[in-house]
Amino acid sequence: MTAQPQDISDAVQTITVDALVVGAGFGGLYAVHKLREMGLSVVGVEAGGDVGGVWYWNRYPGARCDLMCVDYSFGFSDEIQQEWTWSEQFAAQPEILAYANFVADKLALRPLFHFNTRVTRAKWDADAQRWTATTDRGQRIVASYCIMATGPLSIPKDPEFPGLADFKGELLRAAKWPHEPVSFKGKRVGLVGTGSSGIQIVPVVAEEAQALHVFQRTPSFTMPMRNSRLDPDYVAELKRHYPAIRAVARASQLGGVRPVTSRPFFSITPSQRQRVMEDAWARGGLDFLGIFSDLLTNPDANEHVAEFVRGKIGETVNDPVTAEKLKPRGYPIFARRPCLDTGYYESYNLPHVHLHDCLEHPIERVTDKGIRTSAGEVELDTLILATGYDGLSGALMAFEVEGRAGHDVRTKWAGGARSYLGLMMAGFPNLFMVCGPNGPAALANIITLDEQNVNWICDLIAHMRSQGIATVEPRPEAEDEWMETVFALAQLTLVSKANTWYTGTNVDGKPRGLIMYTGGFFKYNEACTSVAQAGYPTLDFGKAQVQA
């Protein structure tokens, strides 16, 4: 019989369970399901009002996944795969959120979560060999195992310029969009941030706003998504072949089925390269990332591809001055997060859409009426902030996490996030991370990675319980060796050469450096599997205490 946690109410109380899961995104949902299937009592805690993780919060106009739905979906349950039908190749936020709710209902996960609740502190009790988490509603949750499924993008970041509190108009944040509809009709709208979210917002808001002012601090490379509705015959075909598709994804560099090649850029003639790039541009999506094997390792190849995309910007945007300002320079293409769009560059051909180049005229402050740059003040009715996140490590540093002998995550990560396999940390027994900062994280298909991480964690817990082992943590030397591998691989890729949330440079005072594992999903999974098959020689285990 499956063990169940004690009932959680608003009253201050102590809840004792086998496992605590923090986060109700896709990683948290699968972790709760898997742990419960193992017979453990488990409770989940989620800051949002329901399941969905980042898709619960990101309801901004145009919000859409830039991974194909065939990749951005669970593969562990064929029943879920067969019962759920995607309507588009790249699903929009409402459909993704509906999918998360479908999974939660199908697996009866919602009763195991405590919503609208944040963990404010988690502390390891060495005597009891358990974690005690305190929430902002006063509960104490005591658990043998603590699984942090907080995700790489869950702590929004406001811009640093002064005066934000002075603005008298409507202030909206892409990362925490209102649940009720927002109208832009007849309004002067300002948008700060032209990363993935801003690029999706622009074309939609431009359709309705009286004027749209886009304040661009760093131009981004973006390619056409070319989304399409899914034909019923294709969907039936997809469902028949899901097992083989998932197997290919798990054995791939990306953890997904996006095409990749072993062909280096300079191995074919200039005319052939041009045809390959034109074909990828016409197909749309992230196929462009896979057309040359050395795109992120050979600077000359990267610059040729970047110049091709700059040429497409020039062909699309009518005003040559605006087009030039939209062309990214000074960093490798795809070193920042790759973006997909539907009509982004075309929006700048509309007479009421205005691009403000903040490299030429920096933002000085937000005023009560709008935004003042060095070129003057722009009056606004609505200001949208699409300024990103404190990515990768921010979520786990947003509250106090204290491990063995006073080890504190904020202190441990003061020089940059470090862990073993992106899953565990020396000094923090029985604490696990799903999609941690030192694994493939944002460089792999995140749901495939979530499943792999949760399976590895649960296999380790099952091993411990079968052997009467109470605690586990990585050996410090194993953690050091893993981080040496992460840093060595980072030096081989151009991803480390841009100022972005990948490298932590979007947050003042945050240590700079690429802390994600860049060896690919397949190699990462291979490394994790080899540890388990060898009997976990890199981990320190502690036997259960014998009661007197």
Side-chain angles (χ1 to χ4, degrees):
M1 181 177 177
T2 301
Q4 299 295 328
Q6 298 177 19
D7 180 57
I8 302 175
S9 69
D10 286 334
V12 174
Q13 59 180 293
T14 297
I15 306 110
T16 302
V17 288
D18 293 321
L20 165 66
V21 175
V22 182
F26 288 114
L29 289 176
Y30 182 51
V32 166
H33 165 70
K34 183 80 172 177
L35 290 161
R36 184 184 59 183
E37 290 296 291
M38 291 169 59
L40 275 65
S41 59
V42 56
V43 67
V45 174
E46 166 58 41
D50 211 331
V51 300
V54 69
W55 299 106
Y56 173 84
W57 301 104
N58 280 207
R59 300 165 184 254
Y60 60 81
R64 187 177 295 276
C65 188
D66 53 15
L67 293 177
M68 297 183 297
C69 61
V70 64
D71 279 337
Y72 203 75
S73 53
F74 283 123
F76 71 87
S77 167
D78 193 55
E79 189 174 358
I80 288 173
Q81 291 182 146
Q82 298 304 320
E83 290 188 16
W84 179 265
T85 298
W86 294 102
S87 68
E88 298 178 282
Q89 188 173 38
F90 295 92
Q93 179 271 338
E95 188 169 21
I96 298 171
L97 187 58
Y99 174 70
N101 278 273
F102 169 79
V103 171
D105 290 337
K106 179 71 179 176
L107 301 177
L109 300 177
R110 209 182 311 275
L112 299 179
F113 277 96
H114 195 192
F115 298 105
N116 296 310
T117 304
R118 289 185 180 275
V119 173
T120 56
R121 188 185 189 212
K123 180 177 172 60
W124 174 252
D125 185 333
D127 293 332
Q129 297 181 328
R130 289 180 175 180
W131 283 94
T132 298
T134 306
T135 75
D136 60 356
R137 282 166 49 177
Q139 291 92 353
R140 294 173 70 252
I141 304 173
V142 180
S144 300
Y145 316 102
C146 187
I147 294 89
M148 298 294 185
T150 46
L153 295 175
S154 57
I155 303 297
K157 173 188 169 294
D158 275 351
E160 296 81 17
F161 37 78
L164 197 58
D166 297 337
F167 183 61
K168 302 301 183 185
E170 181 181 37
L171 182 63
L172 301 170
R173 291 172 172 82
K176 289 195 174 180
W177 200 263
H179 288 205
E180 61 275 7
V182 177
S183 173
F184 301 102
K185 190 173 182 179
K187 293 181 180 179
R188 300 163 299 175
V189 181
L191 169 70
V192 179
T194 52
S196 181
S197 297
I199 283 169
Q200 291 184 340
I201 290 170
V202 165
V204 181
V205 174
E207 292 178 356
E208 189 179 0
Q210 173 188 316
L212 174 59
H213 296 269
V214 181
F215 296 87
Q216 174 187 268
R217 297 181 293 173
T218 303
S220 294
F221 288 100
T222 178
M223 297 160 296
M225 178 175 280
R226 306 204 194 286
N227 193 23
S228 61
R229 303 286 296 182
L230 297 182
D231 180 85
D233 289 340
Y234 165 74
V235 171
E237 204 171 56
L238 178 66
K239 290 185 177 185
R240 285 198 303 273
H241 294 280
Y242 260 135
I245 291 169
R246 300 300 188 194
V248 169
R250 294 184 188 111
S252 73
Q253 179 82 352
L254 303 166
V257 296
R258 190 171 74 236
V260 294
T261 183
S262 59
R263 172 185 55 209
F265 182 86
F266 292 105
S267 67
I268 56 177
T269 67
S271 61
Q272 290 171 327
R273 294 174 216 149
Q274 187 70 20
R275 286 197 298 272
V276 167
M277 290 188 287
E278 291 285 0
D279 181 59
W281 189 266
R283 288 198 310 271
L286 291 173
D287 284 9
F288 220 97
L289 274 169
I291 59 176
F292 300 112
S293 61
D294 54 353
L295 182 56
L296 289 174
T297 56
N298 186 324
D300 291 339
N302 186 281
E303 179 56 24
H304 274 77
V305 173
E307 192 57 31
F308 173 87
V309 176
R310 293 185 195 112
K312 290 297 182 184
I313 298 172
E315 292 174 13
T316 306
V317 180
N318 295 336
D319 176 39
V321 175
T322 300
E324 192 59 34
K325 291 177 179 179
L326 287 165
K327 294 177 182 179
R329 300 187 188 278
Y331 66 90
I333 188 171
F334 305 132
R336 291 167 62 88
R337 180 181 175 179
C339 299
L340 298 180
D341 72 90
T342 302
Y344 175 69
Y345 292 124
E346 290 84 349
S347 298
Y348 293 98
N349 294 329
L350 300 173
H352 64 288
V353 177
H354 311 283
L355 179 67
H356 298 265
D357 183 0
C358 297
L359 295 176
E360 180 182 1
H361 296 292
I363 294 174
E364 294 180 346
R365 67 175 296 113
V366 178
T367 69
D368 61 339
K369 296 179 180 179
I371 289 181
R372 188 171 73 222
T373 73
S374 62
E377 186 175 31
V378 180
E379 294 190 0
L380 303 169
D381 302 302
T382 300
L383 175 57
I384 301 172
L385 301 179
T387 46
Y389 296 85
D390 182 355
L392 301 174
S393 60
L396 204 56
M397 296 178 73
F399 57 95
E400 184 181 353
V401 182
E402 185 179 326
R404 178 177 50 79
H407 286 82
D408 175 75
V409 168
R410 291 171 181 164
T411 302
K412 182 181 179 73
W413 286 5
R418 56 185 299 111
S419 66
Y420 179 59
L421 302 174
L423 294 168
M424 309 168 67
M425 291 182 288
F428 295 82
N430 293 14
L431 181 73
F432 305 97
M433 296 176 288
V434 178
C435 198
N438 308 129
L443 301 179
N445 173 21
I446 196 165
I447 295 187
T448 304
L449 181 61
D450 283 344
E451 289 186 356
Q452 185 272 347
N453 280 186
V454 169
N455 288 339
W456 193 90
I457 292 166
C458 288
D459 286 347
L460 173 57
I461 291 174
H463 169 77
M464 293 168 63
R465 293 173 75 82
S466 71
Q467 300 297 315
I469 296 169
T471 66
V472 63
E473 63 180 284
R475 295 178 177 174
E477 61 271 21
E479 181 175 281
D480 291 342
E481 288 175 8
W482 178 253
M483 293 310 302
E484 287 172 9
T485 298
V486 170
F487 294 143
L489 287 170
Q491 297 307 307
L492 303 177
T493 174
L494 298 176
V495 176
S496 62
K497 307 303 181 185
N499 294 328
T500 172
W501 64 266
Y502 282 2
T503 55
T505 50
N506 67 324
V507 177
D508 283 350
K510 190 170 184 177
R512 191 194 192 286
L514 181 61
I515 57 173
M516 290 184 286
Y517 177 85
T518 56
F521 175 80
F522 178 71
K523 286 293 185 183
Y524 170 77
N525 185 39
E526 215 174 42
C528 295
T529 301
S530 67
V531 171
Q533 289 178 341
Y536 306 102
T538 50
L539 307 183
D540 276 333
F541 292 105
K543 292 288 185 179
Q545 295 176 349
V546 178
Q547 299 296 321

